[in-house]
Amino acid sequence: MEARQLNVGEAIPFEPTRRRTAYWPWLAALAAAAIIPFGIYPSFVMELMCFALFACAFNLLLGFGGLLSFGHACFFGSAAYLSGLALRDWGWTPELGILFGTAGATVLGLLVGMVAIRRQGIYFAMVTLALAQIVYFACLQLPFTGGEDGLQGIPRGHLLGLVDLSATVAFGDRQLPLALYYFVLAVSFGGYWLIWRTVNSPFGTVLKAIRENEARALSLGYRVDRYKLAAFVLSAGLSGLAGATKALVVGLASLSDVSWHMSGEVVLMTLLGGMGTLLGPVVGAVTVGVLHNELASLGSWVTVTIGCVFVVCVMAFRRGMVGELAHWLKRTL
Amino acid sequence: MDISLQAILSQAMLGLNNGAFYALLSLGLAVIFGMLNVVNFAHGAFYMLGAFVALLGYDFLGKWLGDEGVRLSFWAALLVSPLLVGLLGVLIERLMLRRLYQVDHLYGLLLTFGLALILEGLFSNYFNVAGEPYNGKPAVLEGAVNLGFMFFPKYRLFSIVLSLAVCFAVWFLIERTRLGSYLRAGTENPDVTRAFGIDVPLLRTLTYFLGVALAGLAGVVAAPIYSVSPKMGSDLIIIVFAVVVIGGMGSIMGAILTGLALGLLEGVVKVFYPPLANTVIFIVMALVLLWRPAGLFGKEA
């Protein structure tokens, strides 16, 4: 994330963008993801995919826009609650429920974004944190959310009214929820693809320019505030998509989904994997998820460990795992 | 709606009490932010730590020393606890924060967030999350005084007065003394300040010590009122952040006045519409930001 300072009159280095896109990494990743449930516990993998999408959506804002939101859990969690409401109480089909949650998070993102982008840096972080807290209290007190218990028993339903998402397929002596798994895989890959397209679009380039030097971008005539707001809304919407999908997978929307600890967790995922890299948040989300899973029996030592990882990341390797690797390979990942 | 004036006044007094804690905590936060440009996310954890030093000193010190009779009295805790918490702060500033001044300020926030998780997690392992009562409230402060409209607990009155006195002392120290002018000069222009022969790194350590010690002090004063629990800091820190944002980050007077006013507002709202009491501060924050992005007492950046 080193800022490049160009001097006045110096020629801007022209780097021709590659027009042809390599599709094989996508296909390889999809193929790998498609066979994973036969080896690893699918529910855990599905949860990881949701968190990976959440971290990627967050990274769109932090890594490419340079905006540290400390309240992103409010989009993740509120979408989980909204889709839970639509699925359980209104009996909507899963795809409509998820869309409803995502739309809700997008609208919320617009409202929060409009207030928050008026400040920069640390102020921005604190404003998003405080606004997210309003959402937290709303989720605690609104009549449909179940208060401390959360919104429980969210049904999986039938996709498009046809495919039963709670159906399982026998594989050896295990029952695999393959329908749900491939649906979640499609959703998270779709979201990830959208982020990848955004980052590599002219919009993404302007966003990076704003991150590097906001005053310069402004003087070039870009309406910086609009770009920031658009990035914020997009990131909020995709975080909502992740949260709604997670609610479908776990069957539960809980207060921990909207709490500021969750906001901190997604920052850690991004930081640990490498902010500003495309792959980093995925690696970070998987690492944090596995860490939680492995240490679950240790009680509060999980929190201590996560805190230590945080401190080590900030002190020793700010590029994150993928960032360090990319730096070492001298290419972007 | 039938609400007596007495109910409003008594809630207002309780709110003022909360406000005194908000003021003390946001003052520490504002001092650290104003001088070091660090958002001290661990502030709530230091507050919790301050309360725990008082609790452990009263309940366990004797057991550790092998003499059941030895106790750290409340008055001693008022001095010892901020000192110990402040020293931990010095260690953290010297070993970690110091290395982050050159990079983006966001890393300071992230580091202290990690530290907050570590401290909260450590204490959650050994202490009940539901909280433990502090039994060391001095006998002098038992009972209540008649304020005319209500009987107000003596201890709460004491905590309000003490907090306000400390707030004023810190304001005086920073705005009116020579040390304070060095501190302010050190933030405005570290290089020039250094050229005048002033030890800027030492000033920074001192600043962090002061801010963190204020959090520790708030913890001790809060211990007899609220139950001492590992979570007490993380519940409060977000509110204190909102107070600092409303007051204008880095503004000393802004932090004090806003803290008091918002505590009062929260108390009054609790009378009229209880569910809103938790949220009202954040709503005020959103409104203030729409109207004055720099906060009520902040200077436009």
Side-chain angles (χ1 to χ4, degrees), chain B residues 206-252:
Chain B
L206 208 62
T207 307
Y208 199 67
F209 173 84
L210 177 68
V212 167
L214 282 172
L217 179 72
V220 182
V221 180
I225 301 182
Y226 312 107
S227 65
V228 180
S229 89
K231 295 255 176 244
M232 65 191 287
S234 65
D235 294 342
L236 203 56
I237 184 77
I238 316 289
I239 297 180
V240 176
F241 273 177
V243 169
V244 176
V245 170
I246 296 169
M249 299 211 21
S251 161
I252 306 276

Side-chain angles (χ1 to χ4, degrees), chain A residues 31-86:
Chain A
I35 55 166
I36 279 178
F38 297 100
I40 308 172
Y41 192 51
S43 305
F44 180 53
V45 181
M46 286 190 282
E47 235 181 292
L48 284 186
M49 287 197 290
C50 295
F51 279 115
L53 178 61
F54 182 27
C56 288
F58 175 76
N59 183 45
L60 178 65
L61 197 61
L62 174 63
F64 297 100
L67 296 165
L68 173 61
S69 155
F70 225 106
H72 246 51
C74 80
F75 309 119
F76 184 78
S78 62
Y81 274 106
L82 288 177
S83 64
L85 174 73

Side-chain angles (χ1 to χ4, degrees), chain A residues 70 118-119 122 130 134 141 300, chain B residues 39 109 124 275 282 285 290 293:
Chain A
F70 225 106
R118 296 162 72 99
R119 307 306 321 264
I122 322 178
I134 301 181
Q141 285 166 346
S300 289
Chain B
V39 173
L109 185 148
S124 301
F282 302 108
M285 191 207 70
L290 282 172

Side-chain angles (χ1 to χ4, degrees), chain A:
Chain A
M1 276 189 49
E2 280 102 327
R4 277 202 76 224
Q5 199 77 47
L6 288 170
N7 296 317
V8 180
E10 183 189 340
I12 297 168
F14 177 69
E15 290 168 23
T17 44
R18 255 196 326 197
R19 300 214 72 89
R20 279 189 40 190
T21 320
Y23 280 107
W24 65 265
W26 290 90
L27 293 175
L30 261 176
I35 55 166
I36 279 178
F38 297 100
I40 308 172
Y41 192 51
S43 305
F44 180 53
V45 181
M46 286 190 282
E47 235 181 292
L48 284 186
M49 287 197 290
C50 295
F51 279 115
L53 178 61
F54 182 27
C56 288
F58 175 76
N59 183 45
L60 178 65
L61 197 61
L62 174 63
F64 297 100
L67 296 165
L68 173 61
S69 155
F70 225 106
H72 246 51
C74 80
F75 309 119
F76 184 78
S78 62
Y81 274 106
L82 288 177
S83 64
L85 174 73
L87 289 169
R88 193 190 68 177
D89 296 352
W90 300 344
W92 288 17
T93 51
E95 72 287 346
L96 286 180
I98 288 181
L99 279 178
F100 179 64
T102 310
T106 312
V107 173
L108 191 63
L110 184 67
L111 294 175
V112 173
M114 282 198 304
V115 179
I117 57 161
R118 296 162 72 99
R119 307 306 321 264
Q120 292 174 344
I122 322 178
Y123 304 89
F124 179 83
M126 291 175 71
V127 172
T128 46
L129 178 63
L131 291 175
Q133 208 63 11
I134 301 181
V135 177
Y136 176 85
F137 284 118
C139 288
L140 182 63
Q141 285 166 346
L142 283 176
F144 74 90
T145 56
E148 302 273 351
D149 300 327
L151 206 129
Q152 296 177 355
I154 298 171
R156 289 175 174 167
H158 290 65
L159 184 64
L160 301 168
L162 300 170
V163 187
D164 184 5
L165 287 184
S166 50
T168 54
V169 176
F171 176 74
D173 53 352
R174 300 191 307 155
Q175 292 288 329
L176 302 179
L178 286 184
L180 182 67
Y181 181 84
Y182 289 123
F183 174 64
V184 173
L185 182 67
V187 169
S188 41
F189 255 78
Y192 188 75
W193 181 78
L194 188 65
I195 292 169
W196 178 76
R197 283 302 302 252
T198 307
V199 167
N200 288 304
S201 69
F203 173 77
T205 314
V206 177
L207 214 53
K208 281 178 252 183
I210 294 171
R211 176 190 73 192
E212 296 300 335
N213 194 335
E214 186 168 337
R216 196 181 175 93
L218 195 66
S219 72
L220 284 172
Y222 289 109
R223 305 179 79 161
V224 169
D225 277 0
R226 291 197 176 182
Y227 277 92
K228 280 187 183 174
L229 186 59
F232 195 90
V233 172
L234 187 61
S235 172
L238 286 165
S239 301
L241 180 66
T245 313
K246 197 214 131 199
L248 185 74
V249 169
V250 187
L252 169 76
S254 69
L255 278 179
S256 72
D257 292 341
V258 266
S259 74
W260 60 267
H261 288 93
M262 178 64 83
S263 297
E265 202 114 296
V266 77
V267 179
L268 177 64
M269 289 173 188
T270 311
L271 188 70
L272 179 63
M275 54 177 139
T277 64
L278 272 169
L279 223 52
V282 179
V283 175
V286 171
T287 314
V288 172
V290 170
L291 214 59
H292 266 291
N293 204 39
E294 294 294 311
L295 299 176
S297 58
L298 294 177
S300 289
W301 288 109
V302 184
T303 320
V304 180
T305 314
I306 298 275
C308 289
V309 173
F310 230 114
V311 170
V312 169
C313 274
V314 172
M315 294 305 299
F317 68 130
R318 282 188 276 275
R319 285 196 194 96
M321 293 197 279
V322 174
E324 292 287 347
L325 187 68
H327 182 70
W328 184 63
L329 293 172
K330 294 194 168 64
R331 57 167 296 182
T332 53
L333 286 173

